[in-house]
Amino acid sequence: MSPRRKPCFVVQKHDASTLHYDFRLEVGGVLRSWAVPKGPSTNPRDKRLAMAVEDHSLGYARFEGVIEEGSYGAGPVTVWDIGWYENLTERDGRRVPIKRALADGHALIELHGEKLSGGYALTRVSDDRRERWLLVKTRDDAADARRNPVSTQPESVLSGRTIEQVTAESGG
Ligand code: MN
């Protein structure tokens, strides 16, 4: 792995006990993960709740399929968006490493995906057993209050399939 390879981000649409979007960032060799019930928004006015969930392995980033009954998170998964990100977090004019930024509860990142791009802020708002964060689009050229990709672009960026098609094709 080249040290210059850009870290990846992925958003997986996951219809488990409730439909949600798993927002994952490559950090220190794993995918740090948040479950976002409403999915990411391109509108800077939307504050999307993001519940911290367990890390996943990097190899999971391109997983699409059905998690079998009896396993944690049983249900279909599609890759709703994938790409790379840049950490833009700064303090006192200096770049803060992403791991440090997340430990401190605030990170500013720039996404380079197919559906999502530009700046997003991740801010921790509670330290409960399951940390609650907010995922908010920053005001930049990629901000667009009229777009709503969660509803208008539901299909996988890898296969073009909807989550319903993934379910049907698995015989579920
Ligand atoms: Mn999930």
Side-chain angles (χ1 to χ4, degrees):
M1 180 164 64
S2 157
R4 281 185 206 163
R5 192 181 61 82
K6 309 266 197 213
C8 83
F9 88 93
V10 62
V11 181
Q12 281 160 316
K13 187 173 179 178
H14 183 192
D15 194 3
S17 48
T18 56
L19 180 68
H20 60 275
Y21 294 77
D22 289 301
F23 182 83
R24 309 188 198 277
L25 297 177
E26 178 181 354
V27 177
V30 297
L31 295 172
R32 293 285 300 270
S33 301
W34 294 261
V36 183
K38 292 184 174 176
S41 175
T42 55
N43 184 349
R45 290 179 177 276
D46 290 337
K47 294 179 169 59
R48 291 290 160 88
L49 176 65
M51 309 293 290
V53 294
E54 67 286 350
D55 297 345
H56 278 58
S57 64
L58 287 183
Y60 193 74
R62 299 174 71 86
F63 173 78
E64 209 167 87
V66 178
I67 300 172
E68 62 185 28
E69 288 299 328
S71 301
Y72 181 76
V77 175
T78 59
V79 176
W80 185 79
D81 200 12
I82 195 166
W84 57 278
Y85 78 94
E86 191 171 355
N87 170 33
L88 300 180
T89 315
E90 289 191 349
R91 193 182 307 114
D92 304 327
R94 286 197 186 169
R95 187 62 46 88
V96 179
I98 186 68
K99 206 168 185 174
R100 176 81 254 158
L102 293 173
D104 291 344
H106 183 74
L108 182 63
I109 54 177
E110 187 173 82
L111 301 181
H112 300 265
E114 286 190 31
K115 297 173 185 171
L116 301 179
S117 57
Y120 279 82
L122 260 172
T123 305
R124 190 167 54 214
V125 291
S126 89
D127 271 327
D128 304 342
R129 190 172 55 84
R130 275 187 101 189
E131 293 174 357
R132 297 157 62 94
W133 295 64
L134 295 175
L135 177 66
V136 182
K137 181 77 194 77
T138 57
R139 294 176 189 278
D140 58 20
D141 288 349
D144 189 342
R146 291 161 305 180
R147 268 187 81 205
N148 187 1
V150 161
S151 59
T152 62
Q153 298 172 270
E155 66 287 337
S156 162
V157 294
L158 294 187
S159 67
R161 296 181 300 173
T162 63
I163 206 153
E164 292 79 10
Q165 285 172 315
V166 168
T167 304
E169 285 168 22
S170 81

